Amino acid sequence: MMRGDDTTDEETALLSRNEEQQGPTHSPKVQIAIVLLLQLCEPITSHSIYPYINQLVSELVIIGGDERKVGYYAGLIQSLFFLTESIMVMQWNRLSDRVGRKPVLLFGLIGASLSMLLFGLSHTFWTLVISRCLCGLLNGNTGIIKSAMGELTNSSNRCSSVTWVTQKITPSPCFLACCRFVKPLAPSSRPTAASFT
């Protein structure tokens, strides 16, 4: 029902001119850079063992001289990180909602560093397993970083800022060069639904 003093109709603009012409606000670049550096910790802790885990498993007394078991034990040790991280990521996010993002991010960073140090000093299968599980349990920063990025930005600059976080690893120089030198498509040259049929 319309009130008598309301002069809106189907031709009235939903947004005022001031709201339409507002451009994106500036992003807090230093804070976003710090968040991106914190994000770099997760792929380093999860992927840094790939080049040497097979050699490590074959040199320790895990396999008992049977080279066919190297892949099994190496895969088991590698997957423990992702299994334990998937179990704990929601709990870390809930904790960061209660106590704040910074303490939980710092605790995760320190915990991942210490567990990787423990992994490097391991000489038995069980210490490798415990250190890898600890690394996954203490590294729930992935979701917290996305939440922190959402809090650092607003609706006008969120799209451009969050694209950096969605990259699993901080963008490579090739990606940065493409972003700098490739111009966006003109509206007339963008593909339409008819061009895919």
Side-chain angles (χ1 to χ4, degrees):
M1 289 191 214
M2 294 183 62
R3 291 179 279 158
D5 60 345
D6 195 2
T7 59
T8 57
D9 60 6
E10 66 272 357
E11 293 181 3
T12 304
L14 297 175
L15 297 175
S16 68
R17 290 284 179 206
N18 294 340
E19 293 175 356
E20 288 177 0
Q21 294 178 355
Q22 281 183 340
T25 59
H26 295 288
S27 300
K29 292 184 172 116
V30 174
Q31 289 90 347
I32 289 175
I34 291 169
V35 168
L36 289 175
L37 283 174
L38 287 173
Q39 182 191 9
L40 191 60
C41 176
E42 196 269 337
I44 288 174
T45 56
S46 65
H47 294 75
S48 65
I49 69 166
Y50 289 171
Y52 58 84
I53 188 65
N54 291 334
Q55 185 71 27
L56 179 65
V57 168
S58 64
E59 288 179 359
L60 296 178
V61 283
I62 298 171
I63 57 172
D66 189 5
E67 292 293 323
R68 295 176 295 167
K69 293 182 180 178
V70 170
Y72 172 77
Y73 285 105
L76 179 69
I77 292 170
Q78 290 171 356
S79 62
L80 285 173
F81 172 85
F82 297 106
L83 176 69
T84 54
E85 184 183 34
S86 67
I87 291 170
M88 289 301 292
V89 72
M90 291 302 291
Q91 283 70 25
W92 284 116
N93 285 328
R94 287 187 190 115
L95 182 66
S96 75
D97 288 340
R98 284 195 305 256
V99 299
R101 309 272 185 246
K102 288 180 188 177
V104 177
L105 283 171
L106 287 174
F107 185 77
L109 183 66
I110 292 168
S113 301
L114 291 177
S115 61
M116 284 302 289
L117 181 65
L118 178 65
F119 182 83
L121 298 174
S122 298
H123 292 290
T124 64
F125 174 70
W126 289 109
T127 54
L128 289 174
V129 167
I130 290 170
S131 64
R132 225 31 207 161
C133 288
L134 277 175
C135 192
L137 289 173
L138 298 173
N139 193 13
N141 290 347
T142 305
I144 300 169
I145 287 171
K146 289 180 173 77
S147 298
M149 187 63 81
E151 292 170 353
L152 287 173
T153 60
N154 59 26
S155 61
S156 68
N157 59 10
R158 186 164 294 138
C159 182
S160 62
S161 299
V162 171
T163 54
W164 292 99
V165 175
T166 58
Q167 303 291 325
K168 196 59 179 169
I169 300 175
T170 304
S172 66
C174 295
F175 177 76
L176 293 174
C178 288
C179 289
R180 179 164 170 82
F181 297 112
V182 174
K183 294 184 171 71
L185 293 174
S188 61
S189 64
R190 289 192 178 150
T192 61
S195 63
F196 292 110
T197 58

